[in-house]
Amino acid sequence: MSEETPTHERTFVMVKPDGVQRGLIGEIVNRFEDRGLTLVGGKFSRLDTETARDHYGEHEEKPFFDELVSFITAGPVFAMVWEGADATRQVRSMVGETDPAESAPGTIRGDYGLDLGRNVIHASDHEDEGANEREIKLFFDESELYTYERIDDPWLYEWIVTTLTWFNSLR
Ligand code: IDP
Ligand code: MG
């Protein structure tokens, strides 16, 4: 077993209006499900300007801020919370670079985008301190998040030993 078990955590992810309009919700959900993460919350939301300015507060001084706010409020978004080991870092690596043009094929932005201003997906980042908690709260009530175990969890995580113990007991 690896020396350090990564933190089991929740991370906030959102299909942006371009991703929703282009029919990419299913593809995106599929990737995280296939990876083994657990979907603990998901819903449509239409951001108003105030919430959008709040969500992207860290970028308020940037020249692209107004464009970003009008883009993110242009249509419904699909907000999600995913849970799993090292979830924030793993999701970010599946998302790719901020600019789709710089994102490797195989990443979501590298497979589905070409333009920095239309980059399909948002995902919380550890570099933005406290972003997960803040963004989850902005979109979800606690009662909208569900804790459960995936049936394949014992085959996804080495530290869950139940299945292996059971198989060995049959020999
Ligand atoms: P991230 O989404 O990869 O975390 P951030 O730097 O946090 O990237 O920027 C937030 C969002 O702002 C980006 O996803 C993108 O939509 C937009 N953005 C960032 N930099 C630029 C830019 O230089 N021009 C236009 N939009 C930008
Ligand atoms: Mg960011």
Side-chain angles (χ1 to χ4, degrees):
M1 197 178 302
S2 44
E3 287 189 5
E4 270 187 51
T5 307
T7 316
H8 217 73
E9 61 183 14
R10 287 177 173 184
T11 191
F12 177 76
V13 183
M14 178 175 87
V15 181
K16 292 181 176 181
D18 54 337
V20 172
Q21 297 298 329
R22 292 176 55 207
L24 296 175
I25 295 172
E27 288 292 340
I28 288 168
V29 168
N30 209 11
R31 287 179 181 224
F32 297 133
E33 278 189 321
D34 282 353
R35 186 78 193 274
L37 294 165
T38 307
L39 183 62
V40 302
K43 68 175 179 188
F44 271 113
S45 184
R46 177 81 187 258
L47 292 180
D48 58 31
T49 304
E50 195 186 335
T51 311
R53 294 181 72 90
D54 207 6
H55 173 71
Y56 280 123
E58 60 164 328
H59 298 297
E60 197 148 16
E61 305 303 321
K62 309 263 175 70
F64 59 82
F65 185 69
D66 288 343
E67 284 295 317
L68 177 58
V69 169
S70 68
F71 163 52
I72 214 71
T73 56
V77 297
F78 191 69
M80 296 163 278
V81 179
W82 289 92
E83 188 177 273
D86 197 25
T88 309
R89 213 166 58 88
Q90 297 308 328
V91 165
R92 285 296 300 200
S93 76
M94 292 167 76
V95 162
E97 303 299 322
T98 299
D99 187 349
E102 302 299 326
S103 299
T107 63
I108 293 167
R109 286 170 175 165
D111 285 348
Y112 300 120
L114 291 164
D115 190 323
L116 176 56
R118 298 285 182 270
N119 63 1
V120 180
I121 185 167
H122 166 85
S124 281
D125 195 343
H126 279 320
E127 277 167 31
D128 179 10
E129 182 96 30
N132 272 321
E133 294 74 17
R134 191 174 62 248
E135 293 176 356
I136 289 171
K137 239 189 215 145
L138 196 59
F139 284 84
F140 291 95
D141 289 332
E142 193 54 43
S143 64
E144 294 174 309
L145 302 174
Y146 294 88
T147 302
Y148 59 94
E149 281 168 23
R150 282 179 57 142
I151 199 166
D152 52 0
D153 272 352
W155 286 110
L156 282 161
Y157 296 110
E158 189 182 7
W159 52 267
I160 305 178
V161 290
T162 331
T163 319
L164 209 55
T165 312
W166 180 68
F167 265 96
N168 284 336
S169 75
L170 299 178
R171 285 198 292 192

